[in-house]
């Protein structure tokens, strides 16, 4: 049983965002966005999640990954 817990933890994509929630769900009303272009985080490293703060750049350099935000245009 302990081994399955270790495998599960290694497979987690979310390192530390709102871990007290069963599921991290966000919703946005597009017409209420204040900016014409809004970037939403898909790397789960942003300090302003669900918005992108550029943390994906550091993540990509450290892991050779290629993640980037979802851009929503109003
Ligand atoms: Fe996560 Fe930019 S900080 S996609």
């Amino acid at each position: 049983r302990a081994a399955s817990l270790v495998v599960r933890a290694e497979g987690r994509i979310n390192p530390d965002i709102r871990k007290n929630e069963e599921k991290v769900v966000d919703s946005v009303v597009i017409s209420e966005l204040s900016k014409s272009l809004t970037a939403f985080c898909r790397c789960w490293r942003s300090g302003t999640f669900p918005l992108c703060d550029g943390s994906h750049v550091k993540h990509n350099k450290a892991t050779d990954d290629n993640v980037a935000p979802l851009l929503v245009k109003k």
Side-chain angles (χ1 to χ4, degrees):
R1 182 172 179 128
S4 65
L5 290 174
V6 170
V7 170
R8 183 175 175 195
E10 289 175 352
R12 287 182 180 165
I13 193 168
N14 178 5
D16 57 11
I17 294 173
R18 294 162 33 194
K19 297 304 273 187
N20 59 326
E21 299 176 25
E22 183 178 350
K23 294 180 183 178
V24 180
V25 177
D26 297 292
S27 63
V28 175
V29 178
I30 300 290
S31 62
E32 293 180 1
L33 290 175
S34 60
K35 294 187 279 183
S36 60
L37 180 65
T38 303
F40 290 92
C41 178
R42 295 193 297 180
C43 76
W44 292 86
R45 268 68 182 174
S46 176
T48 59
F49 194 91
L51 301 177
C52 170
D53 71 353
S55 294
H56 61 271
V57 175
K58 181 180 176 184
H59 166 77
N60 286 342
K61 283 183 181 174
T63 64
D64 195 31
D65 209 343
N66 64 349
V67 295
L70 166 68
L71 300 177
V72 176
K73 297 177 184 177
K74 189 173 177 182

